Amino acid sequence: MKFLGVIIVCLTGGLLLYGTTDFPDWGDPSSPASTHLSDYYIEKTIEDTKVPNIVTSVLADYRGFDTMFETAVIFTAGLACFILLRDFRGKKERFYRHKPTGVVLHVKDGKKTLTVGKEFEHMDKDWVPSDLIIKTVCRILIPFIQIYAMYVVAHGDFSPGGGFQGGVIFGSSLILLAISYDLKTLVNRIKEKVLGIFAALGVLIFVGIAAICMPMGGNFLDYTALAPLVWDPHHVRALGMLGVEIGVGFAVMAVMAIIYINIVSEGRHDEGL
Amino acid sequence: MDNYPVLIVVAPLLAALFSGLAVWIEERLSYPIALTGLAISVFSAFNVLLQVITSGPIQYRMAGWAPPMGIEYRIDLLNAMVLLLVSSIGFLNLVASYKSVKQEIYDRAPSFYIVYLLFMTGLLGVTATGDLFNLYVLIEITSLTSYAMVALGDRDRGPLASLNYVFIGVIGASFYLLGVGYLYMQTGSLNMADVAHILQSHQESSIVLTAFILCIIGLWIKMAFFPMHVWLPNAYSYSPVAFARVVAPLMTKVMVYVMIRLMITVFGLDYIFKSPFLADAVVWLASIAIIFGAVMALAQKNLKKMLAYIIVCEIGYMVGGAWMGNQLGMTGAILHILNDALMTFAMFLAVGNIVYKLKDVELFNLTGLFGKMPWTMAGFVLAAFSIIGVPPTCGFFSKWYLILGAFEKGAYHFAAALVISSLICAVLFFRVFEICFFPPISEDSGHKKSHSPVVMAEAPVSMLIVSGLVSLSLIVVGLYSGTIVNTIIIPFLK
């Protein structure tokens, strides 16, 4: 079997090497890839879309249809994690700490319901004493990370950035919260329901903006059809792209958190890392 | 309305997102939303097919950009037929699935519908698009959803089957993407028609040949063509029935469609059949695939596994027909996409009904089924006859074209493989009939063997109606094969 694998690898490598014989030179400005369509995008983007960032205009307008499905792929990934990992059964054993004294209650029977007062806190099995420095630094950092994420989303039209990057940055700020405090802090702050709704809503914003163009008299995704709806019809394509990017940002942010929470807690949403 | 082409794909996507919201608000809404989305899709596909037959291919520009710059949907007779096929099978299966999903995946049924809709979106998008990269993105959606679904099936073996599927599936998709990259290097374009036009002047380039081989191998992995089929039997037999019923007839068939689309529209048949060696090798491989699939099916003790190996065998028919290099073979291959999708669907519907009642489909457990579930078994027999290739059913006609094509080319080994595999299928199914015909022998009767009374216990009406409808369509499609070939396939190939 291993021998067969070596043969297949060699054949594939040989094929790839054979393919290189006709490659255009490295960085050749007259190669088909840099002449056929690139010229059009470089020359016409501003005129067509009023967006100075060519990458964004190709991503969200010329080939926006691909990006829409990429967002759907991300949504699918989050959904797959949820559907496969989510485990609604409770944990077998639980631990509570009495805050004033530090005495720990160990509940061995997971089915038994136990009402504890406010003086007790539900804690992880492998409980680590909280580190004041880490907590404080992260508490200061997180809001700035989130503001930066929003900046990246909003500024995608003009500079490098956009929904995917911004969404990932925002999502990582949530994960940082979960790591520096504990998973329960994150889950209590942002409910699973909210994350689920945001994931679907984000993609829905994208597809919705694209679909509204149809009854408005344009083709699917043709932002110009939205001109009567916006305050600045001259920049309607840029505004359409901004709306779409915001949708992407929502979806990516929520899916990052969903994937993290489900994998780390093995779908139980109680404790992890 | 001019937006039908995009509605076919976007309606299920929108429905998926709305049920994604509904899951958190009112769970019961997600099924009706899913049903509506797919109904719109079927309606649009039907309209598009009518429009294409009467007034020629439709081009739909996304965002209004002209083709090489933007993405376009280009729907001709072949797409339109496959689109209608895919959307109606998706819709009918959803109708039949309500009860079986409730039984099998009771705790996450609403999420099941979302994944299901995304899967349908992927398949429909792959079929409708006229852009090479857009096709890749949608293949990704289709694969991702099927990995999730397979893992959701059998609690013990589903995840492992899914993991194998993930590894092999990702390699397949990467091969295709690499091929598209090579094509882009040579042409600078991703639009199929544009690429085809530019390729006219690069017939000798080694980049194009590499791109072609990479794309085709990627698709073969995705469609489970013989040496790359190992993921299929486990993945299909351990997934939930409601999903197996739709993935088995559609996934591989849509990939065959993509292969034919690349061969005809992008690279051009002249380019592919320039050197006879490649085509001959593929036809030989297809013949081996057919024999291998049939023999492996004979060796199985589980009905689902057996059908999965029959799919491997049927893929051999279609690939062989498409690579025959003549019109008859290609006609047979395209007609077989339609027929095989329908008969595999009919087969899996019957199996789904049996699973609903019996829980497992080991062959020795099927005794007395004709008495217990007469309607289901009627559908099963029709589907089996079609797979064997008994004349009034549709399976016969595509096999006929394939054999004619093989004779025209002189590929007698392919014709022989086809006939032998049909005979093996006959043996296979009559063995199942025999087991199902006799009621179980009761244990407690001592030396005096008597048959225990058989009580009729049929599957729910919704499942039976769909099963009956699809089984009857096998005969109808069979009788109208001539019309389908003359109005859709021949004009497309001209």
Side-chain angles (χ1 to χ4, degrees), chain A residues 16 18-19 21-22 32 36-37 40-41 48 61-63 65-66 69 73 76 79 83 86 193 219-220 237, chain B residues 24 60-61 63 65 68-70 73 108 115 131 133-134 137 141 145 182 185-186 194 205-207 210:
Chain A
L16 293 177
Y18 167 73
T21 49
D22 279 353
H36 186 58
L37 290 179
Y40 177 88
Y41 291 136
D48 281 348
D61 196 347
Y62 292 107
R63 301 191 65 85
F65 198 61
D66 278 346
F69 284 114
V73 168
T76 315
L79 183 65
I83 201 173
R86 187 77 176 97
K193 183 177 178 179
N219 273 3
F220 189 77
R237 281 193 174 270
Chain B
W24 301 102
Y60 186 88
R61 294 171 175 184
W65 298 113
M69 268 65 80
Y73 271 7
R108 35 206 87 182
V115 183
D131 189 278
F133 186 74
N134 192 235
V137 175
I141 294 192
T145 43
Y182 270 65
M185 193 180 305
Q186 184 63 277
D194 194 35
S205 164
S206 70
I207 301 182
T210 313

Side-chain angles (χ1 to χ4, degrees), chain B residues 430-466:
Chain B
F430 277 98
R431 193 180 61 170
V432 178
F433 294 161
E434 194 194 335
I435 296 171
C436 298
F437 197 77
F438 295 107
I441 298 160
S442 55
E443 309 252 322
D444 51 5
S445 52
H447 61 280
K448 219 173 86 184
K449 286 188 175 174
S450 68
H451 293 302
S452 56
V454 172
V455 185
M456 212 170 114
E458 263 295 4
V461 184
S462 61
M463 294 164 88
L464 280 183
I465 289 178
V466 173

Side-chain angles (χ1 to χ4, degrees), chain A residues 106-122:
Chain A
H106 182 185
V107 183
K108 280 192 175 161
D109 186 1
K111 282 169 196 143
K112 202 169 271 174
T113 49
L114 186 71
T115 40
V116 287
K118 280 190 177 167
E119 291 192 331
F120 283 90
E121 67 174 352
H122 187 183

Side-chain angles (χ1 to χ4, degrees), chain A residues 2-3 12 20 22 28 31 78 97 103 116 128 148 151 180 186 194 196 209 214 233 237-238 250-252 268 272-273:
Chain A
K2 260 186 190 164
F3 183 64
T12 315
T20 57
D22 279 353
D28 183 8
S31 68
R97 187 166 61 107
V103 175
V116 287
V128 227
Y148 179 63
Y151 166 80
S180 61
L186 175 65
V194 176
I209 289 180
M214 292 193 288
R237 281 193 174 270
F250 279 159
V252 173
R268 292 220 182 83
L273 283 191

Side-chain angles (χ1 to χ4, degrees), chain A residues 26-142:
Chain A
W26 183 254
D28 183 8
S30 59
S31 68
S34 34
T35 50
H36 186 58
L37 290 179
S38 309
D39 291 349
Y40 177 88
Y41 291 136
I42 293 168
E43 286 164 14
K44 300 279 177 131
T45 297
I46 295 244
E47 195 183 314
D48 281 348
T49 64
K50 310 286 181 298
V51 169
N53 187 347
I54 300 174
V55 175
T56 302
S57 70
V58 172
L59 181 106
D61 196 347
Y62 292 107
R63 301 191 65 85
F65 198 61
D66 278 346
T67 313
M68 186 180 90
F69 284 114
E70 286 295 354
T71 323
V73 168
I74 290 176
F75 174 69
T76 315
L79 183 65
C81 257
F82 173 80
I83 201 173
L84 292 179
L85 293 177
R86 187 77 176 97
D87 188 348
F88 293 100
R89 289 169 304 176
K91 192 89 173 161
K92 273 201 191 115
E93 39 183 14
R94 285 166 297 175
F95 295 87
Y96 295 93
R97 187 166 61 107
H98 189 230
K99 276 188 222 164
T101 57
V103 175
V104 174
L105 260 179
H106 182 185
V107 183
K108 280 192 175 161
D109 186 1
K111 282 169 196 143
K112 202 169 271 174
T113 49
L114 186 71
T115 40
V116 287
K118 280 190 177 167
E119 291 192 331
F120 283 90
E121 67 174 352
H122 187 183
M123 58 178 259
D124 293 359
K125 193 176 168 194
D126 311 314
W127 182 72
V128 227
S130 61
D131 188 326
L132 189 66
I133 298 177
I134 294 180
K135 273 190 178 176
T136 315
V137 170
C138 292
R139 202 168 61 204
I140 296 172
L141 270 182
I142 286 169

